[in-house]
Amino acid sequence: MRAAVYHGPRDVRVEDVPEPELSAPTDAIVRVTHTAVCGSDLWFYRGESDRDLGSKIGHEPMGIVEAVGEEVRSIEPGDRVFAPFKISCGSCEFCRKGLHTSCVNGDSWGGDNGGAQGEKIRCPQADGTLVRVPDRYADDEDALRSLLPLTDVMGTGHHAAVSAGVEAGETAVVVGDGAVGLCGVLAARRLGAERIVAVGHHEDRLELAESFGATDLVAERGDEAVERVRELTGGGANHVLECVGAASSMEMATEVCRPGGTIGYVGVPHGLDGGLDLFSFFGDNISLRGGMAPVRAYADELMADVLQGTLDPAPVFTKTVDLENIAEGYRAMDEREAIKVLVEV
């Protein structure tokens, strides 16, 4: 089969690799039809995080089930499914708590399961991981495009909003205008926030944030941005979504959080080698909640809203490529020409 393989910074190639096969009774084989390039993929792409050379890549798969192990009960060949960016069993202590990213039987995409930016994947723990799309929507391309972000960025943005404690009638600040931050705006609106302040650096992305429900846009940088957010919110917000992971974005989140408020953080941490200064959290009684988003915990409720037409994260996809041209998708995201790239397999 064909699959994207990492060969070093800014060197992604599509190559012939062995097809994955069932290796456990809880496995499923899925023929991938749609996947995506994630902002977190850019860290290894840019050489800013380690990854094994020659490894298969991708973690946002959607496709058609081709085969299942003898113990798989929730899906069968021919079903349309999508999968979160982490594999989980659905039945251990942490999965039962809704913390699927800490599953004791969990795994990541890549290695011998085929990655997700390829023609097929082997999904361990298929019953706990795969989300079945109702047959009515199995071939509805518009619906599938709107469901694909549930594999990662929509669930992650939702986790930020939930972790920050966003509720109806409240004010929320979203730090970051990437796909996760934009989905954080959608999530805050879905949870009923009355005022949503979106903070970012790109005019086109902030315009999309506004269409997603942001009531105020802040394009200033550094201290000017902090001052502007405080001005808009009367001293800060009780609910802040940190959707970048950089030291500067975490510092901003702290500075715009009202004393006694909560920061929901979901950005993959980077640039924090010097540690995180906890004095601001301590002095103002600011709570920090979040982490790696257990998107499987949210998939069913978010899918219901997508399919009934009240939630649509599809506009985060601003470029589409086929698998053979996935390197162009990486380049476009790396150079900020695309917010998020959809890959048709």
Side-chain angles (χ1 to χ4, degrees):
M1 71 172 193
R2 302 288 283 171
V5 178
Y6 175 68
H7 284 279
R10 293 182 170 83
D11 187 1
V12 170
R13 308 174 199 171
V14 178
E15 301 176 347
D16 291 325
V17 302
E19 287 192 11
E21 299 178 350
L22 295 173
S23 63
T26 53
D27 287 353
I29 300 297
V30 178
R31 174 175 57 82
V32 178
T33 59
H34 305 70
T35 186
V37 181
C38 183
S40 64
D41 291 331
L42 296 181
W43 297 116
F44 67 76
Y45 180 76
R46 293 168 174 163
E48 297 177 3
S49 64
D50 294 332
R51 190 178 186 97
D52 292 338
L53 299 182
S55 61
K56 293 181 283 291
I57 52 181
H59 57 255
E60 301 166 281
M62 171 185 281
I64 304 295
V65 177
E66 286 201 339
V68 297
E70 60 186 18
E71 294 182 12
V72 175
R73 297 290 179 267
S74 63
I75 57 166
E76 60 186 24
D79 285 347
R80 165 75 65 179
V81 295
F82 64 86
F85 65 84
K86 291 286 284 185
I87 293 162
S88 56
C89 70
S91 58
C92 72
E93 170 192 355
F94 299 108
C95 287
R96 292 197 304 272
K97 289 180 178 179
L99 200 58
H100 297 72
T101 44
S102 295
C103 175
V104 298
N105 301 304
D107 200 355
S108 299
W109 297 107
D112 64 359
N113 65 36
Q117 291 170 359
E119 292 180 327
K120 292 185 181 183
I121 52 171
R122 178 180 66 86
C123 180
Q125 306 296 337
D127 279 333
T129 302
L130 296 176
V131 183
R132 184 178 179 277
V133 177
D135 291 343
R136 177 182 174 186
Y137 301 97
D139 298 310
D140 183 332
E141 283 297 325
D142 289 340
L144 299 179
R145 188 181 181 92
S146 297
L147 288 171
L148 186 60
L150 273 57
T151 62
D152 190 337
V153 290
M154 186 62 234
T156 298
H158 183 66
H159 187 54
V162 170
S163 297
V166 177
E167 295 180 346
E170 300 280 5
T171 295
V173 174
V174 180
V175 179
D177 60 5
V180 172
L182 293 168
C183 288
V185 171
L186 278 175
R189 185 189 67 179
R190 178 179 179 273
L191 293 172
E194 182 175 324
R195 194 171 191 185
I196 303 169
V197 181
V199 183
H201 302 318
H202 305 88
E203 183 177 346
D204 58 332
R205 299 182 182 207
L206 288 176
E207 288 176 356
L208 183 54
E210 185 173 32
S211 73
F212 278 176
T215 56
D216 300 273
L217 308 177
V218 174
E220 291 87 348
R221 296 173 180 263
D223 291 342
E224 290 184 1
V226 171
E227 183 177 338
R228 179 60 176 152
V229 173
R230 286 178 172 171
E231 177 186 340
L232 289 168
T233 58
N238 285 317
H239 313 288
V240 180
L241 288 65
E242 194 286 311
C243 300
V244 181
S248 58
S249 60
M250 185 62 80
E251 290 168 0
M252 174 173 288
T254 306
E255 292 172 341
V256 301
C257 189
R258 186 180 295 274
T262 302
I263 297 171
Y265 76 105
V266 295
V268 179
H270 56 277
L272 293 171
D273 295 342
L276 182 63
D277 183 2
L278 293 179
F279 190 79
S280 296
F281 293 89
F282 178 79
D284 283 335
N285 282 272
I286 293 174
S287 299
L288 183 64
R289 299 184 61 215
M292 188 183 300
V295 300
R296 183 62 184 88
Y298 306 126
D300 294 301
E301 62 174 294
L302 295 178
M303 179 167 65
D305 280 10
V306 168
L307 297 181
Q308 70 181 8
T310 58
L311 175 66
D312 184 13
V316 300
F317 292 119
T318 56
K319 186 179 181 67
T320 300
V321 299
D322 59 23
L323 178 61
E324 293 297 327
N325 291 296
I326 195 171
E328 166 60 17
Y330 272 87
R331 185 206 61 78
M333 284 186 63
D334 179 39
E335 297 180 11
R336 305 290 195 212
E337 292 179 7
I339 298 174
K340 189 169 179 66
V341 172
L342 186 151
V343 182
E344 296 178 337
V345 182

